[in-house]
Amino acid sequence: MSKTTEQVRKSLGKRYRAEKRFKAYGVSAIGFGLLALVLLFTDIIGKGHSAFFETYVKMEVIFDQDTLDISDFRDEEQLNFANYDGVIRNALREEFPSASGRQERRELYSLISTGAGYELRDMLKEDPSLMGQSVTLWLLADDDVDVYVKSAQDDRLESRLSDNQKSWIESLEAQDRVELQWNQSLFTHGDSREPELAGIWGAVTGSFFTMLVTLLLSFPIGVAAAIYLEEFAPKNKFTDFIEVNINNLAAVPSIIFGLLGLAVIIGLFGLPRSVPVVGGIVLTLMTLPTIIISSRAAIKAVPPSIREAAMGLGASKMQVVLHHVLPLALPGMLTGAIIGMAQALGETAPLLMIGMVAFIVDVPGGPLDPSTVLPVQIYLWADSPEQSFVALTSAAIMVLLSFLIAMNTLAVFLRKRLERRW
Amino acid sequence: MDRMHFGEHSSSQFNEALESIRNNLMEMGGLVEKQVVDALQALLQADSALAEKVMETEDKVDKLEMLIDEECTKVLALRQPAASDLRLIIAVTKAVSDLERIGDESAKIARMGQQLAEEGESPRGYVEVRHIGNHVRNMLRDTLDAFARFDAKKALEVAAEDKEVDLEYRSAMRSLVTFMMEDPRSISRVLNIIWSLRALERIGDHARNIGEQVIYLVEGKDVRHISVDEIEAKLKK
Amino acid sequence: MDTAEKFDDKAPGNAKLADQIEGEQAMDETIRYPDQTVGTPYVDNPKMRMRDVEVFYGEKQAIHGVSLDIGKNEVVALIGPSGCGKSTFLRCLNRMNDTIDICQVKGNLHLEDQDLYDPKLDVVELRARVGMVFQKPNPFPKSIYDNVAYGPRIHGLANKKYDLDEIVETSLQKAGLWNEVKDRLHSPGTGLSGGQQQRLCIARTIAVSPEVVLMDEPCSALDPIATAKIEELIAELSQSYTIAIVTHSMQQAARVSNRTAYFHLGRLVEMNDTDTVFTKPEHDLTEAYITGRFG
């Protein structure tokens, strides 16, 4: 007895050391992963955080009726197409009367964003009594000005702005009339050529509709297919063949589905390009194998004893499936579906193929309106030359990542909650 | 079905327990058998010393009875025996009780022997004692044999013998009572013989009881309190 | 998934069972079987009548020509060593063997006048008349109330809530569980102890008012006290139902049954009154099994 104990004792040291080493490997692997994650987030947040704030300039603006060229207040069209830019230019000239000559004037006018006029229009439409009034407003600055204001002293030397523009800005800064405010338009506007006006709302809505279509198509079809294959299909070569094919589909590169969508859905069935319906169909084809596989696994995991008990009581096959198997398999199915959706949310390639790469300004109203999705939007912005788009790209990435994290957290939460009850 | 095969239990401890019970029973049977033989001899030879020995054996026999009963109780509690094992335990407990009574009867006979040694020989009865004594002795030997070999046929034969013993006993009684009436001076000595004969008749009954237990053990049928013809009929069924 | 680990089933895997049968039939040759079942396998006016039942798992034969009757309100125990076919036989009585693809059942099985394997018979209806309680308690992951109410609901036995409540209460009372759970009918069935869960399963089975209740080793997963409660219950239940119980505890068979059937490698060797089987079995094989001489 004691000889064995001795031998055991001798080997104990080696065993514990091996265990410690193994633990160390595991911890370092996790550490490496965490490090990569931290680097990624630091980079993205570092680049993107500035996009959440935009430069505004305080100006005194007169809603001069003559400049605006509005004769009748109640005329929608006149209100819409009035010369708000003119009003802004007036204000700028007032501020810097020294600007003379076309070149300098152009430089002066380009200090303020072309979108500032729309804000004036909205204000006037809301409160027509402003006509003829002099109002002190914060006007959205141009993206070059924005970059200039946000950059540090050293970087300012590299700005595209002319010396005049720089001096004008600096004088305004000296008067505390230049401020960074929350970038509302990022979340409410669609895409735009002008970085200061560009927003992700169009892409978010597009993604939403696409995901909706994907969910409504893939979940019922996937679950029904899984139930049929697990419960009702006869076990023969044909069903084996189907199973092999489903497993293979899960590994097909997603761009292939895009080609399929282009050729068949758009080409053959003639559905319009770049709409969420088509995007949804393509993504459904992509996520269907994932949902079927995870649903089948969930169904397989339901213990046979429950089925036997139900059958012993005289439940028919359908009743066994609906009353017992499905409710128990649902947590697993939901988890699979949510993870499938999260994957689909981040898909770019197949959607590029069906044309969702177009430049679309309007926020889509429904699933049949042309739109783009978040990942594609990010791709487009990453391609644009203006410096502001760098920050915007990172900001959009942050938004997308937070959606993905939220969806995965929801999956985990749902699974824990539904499992714990029984 | 006169056979009883006792193959091995899957539990060797159970086997050992049953073996022990059977061995002790056989030992007790052997002791009691010797008691009967010795008691008869003591009576016939008026041998006081032998009579004493017989009465001393009582102690051992009693101890064996208690030991076997205890072993049987243990088996019942720990093994929940069923079927043949259960019947074996029940048969053994009953047989042990009968053996112990046989021992008591032998001691009585031995005491009669001592009495005769003091008072002097009885003028009559020794022939009857010898005859019935042998008969009963053989019955006891056969019944123990039948138990050892689970031989229901032999047990049935022993049961049949008991009837003869009863008849012989009654005829012996008649003749001895007649003699006592003719010669009153011999009454007290003849009485000793009569008590001995009665004890022998009792021993025969107990031997028959043991035989009935063997039949119960082997055939599973309770054949107590019925005539031999009825037993035979029951076994044929 | 975690739920799969919680339930450790002994549902026969087809290939495994076939192999097991083959291995045991190798011992076949040295044993003398009776030509006909010894004892009293038949009764007058039986509730269930089985003649020449044969069951095959693919090529392997698991049950060889078994014939017996189960009388009304009788408790019949099926005993025998592992793999002797008693569970397989029991599952023929409510056609649970249908769920196993390679299992084939031949022979004449009747529930009173109804041929169990009549193609026109709806299996669902049969299982409402012949209920089953399984070895491992398997309450549904629903509330206690819903567990018991499930059978009556799907068979349309109670339309109004009042009727359903009554059925649930009666069943739970008959199963000896009412007093323990009447205050928490809506808590999960899986939250009860093992013995209570099994009684819940019994309540669930009798809620559809079956005529016959089959029990497949109902106490093997329970402690002695829970076992004793259920055995007590079986005695009471037999007044209203006919019961067939498979058990690997001989003492249990001795305690609860009226007649006992001894199976050996798929053959019915002996069937007799229980006290006869346990004091004076008629066949060697039965004797050997009961006294523990397995060779």
Side-chain angles (χ1 to χ4, degrees), chain A residues 111-122:
Chain A
L111 283 180
I112 301 293
S113 166
T114 49
Y118 297 115
E119 288 187 38
L120 293 185
R121 178 189 69 189
D122 292 337

Side-chain angles (χ1 to χ4, degrees), chain B residues 158-173:
Chain B
V158 170
E161 296 256 326
D162 189 47
K163 201 155 175 201
E164 279 187 42
V165 168
D166 285 345
L167 288 172
E168 285 173 14
Y169 169 70
R170 261 180 286 187
S171 119
M173 286 299 284

Side-chain angles (χ1 to χ4, degrees), chain C residues 202-252:
Chain C
I202 292 175
R204 179 177 71 185
T205 307
I206 61 181
V208 299
S209 301
E211 297 164 47
V212 179
V213 177
L214 307 175
M215 298 190 170
D216 192 351
E217 302 195 29
C219 300
S220 59
L222 305 178
D223 67 79
I225 295 178
T227 300
K229 284 200 179 139
I230 290 189
E231 289 181 2
E232 192 59 34
L233 190 54
I234 292 176
E236 282 168 32
L237 288 176
S238 70
Q239 291 170 21
S240 324
Y241 310 99
T242 303
I243 298 181
I245 173 169
V246 165
T247 177
H248 61 234
S249 160
M250 288 181 274
Q251 283 79 39
Q252 180 169 88

Side-chain angles (χ1 to χ4, degrees), chain B residues 177-224:
Chain B
V177 164
T178 312
F179 181 79
M180 280 195 301
M181 288 195 305
E182 287 168 7
D183 183 6
R185 289 169 303 150
S186 67
I187 288 183
S188 77
R189 285 168 287 150
V190 173
L191 272 179
N192 289 331
I193 300 290
I194 288 183
W195 298 148
S196 307
L197 283 174
R198 181 122 160 230
L200 283 174
E201 192 266 334
R202 281 279 154 73
I203 292 178
D205 283 343
H206 286 303
R208 173 191 162 144
N209 286 348
I210 296 177
E212 284 168 352
Q213 288 310 313
V214 174
I215 295 176
Y216 172 68
L217 166 56
V218 174
E219 299 292 332
K221 294 195 166 96
D222 191 350
V223 295
R224 294 173 296 172

Side-chain angles (χ1 to χ4, degrees), chain B residues 6-7 9-10 83-84 87 219, chain C residues 278-280 287 290-293:
Chain B
F6 272 98
H9 277 105
S10 36
S84 53
R87 298 197 309 272
E219 299 292 332
Chain C
F278 285 93
T279 54
K280 181 60 187 160
E287 167 101 29
I290 289 184
T291 55
R293 294 180 166 84

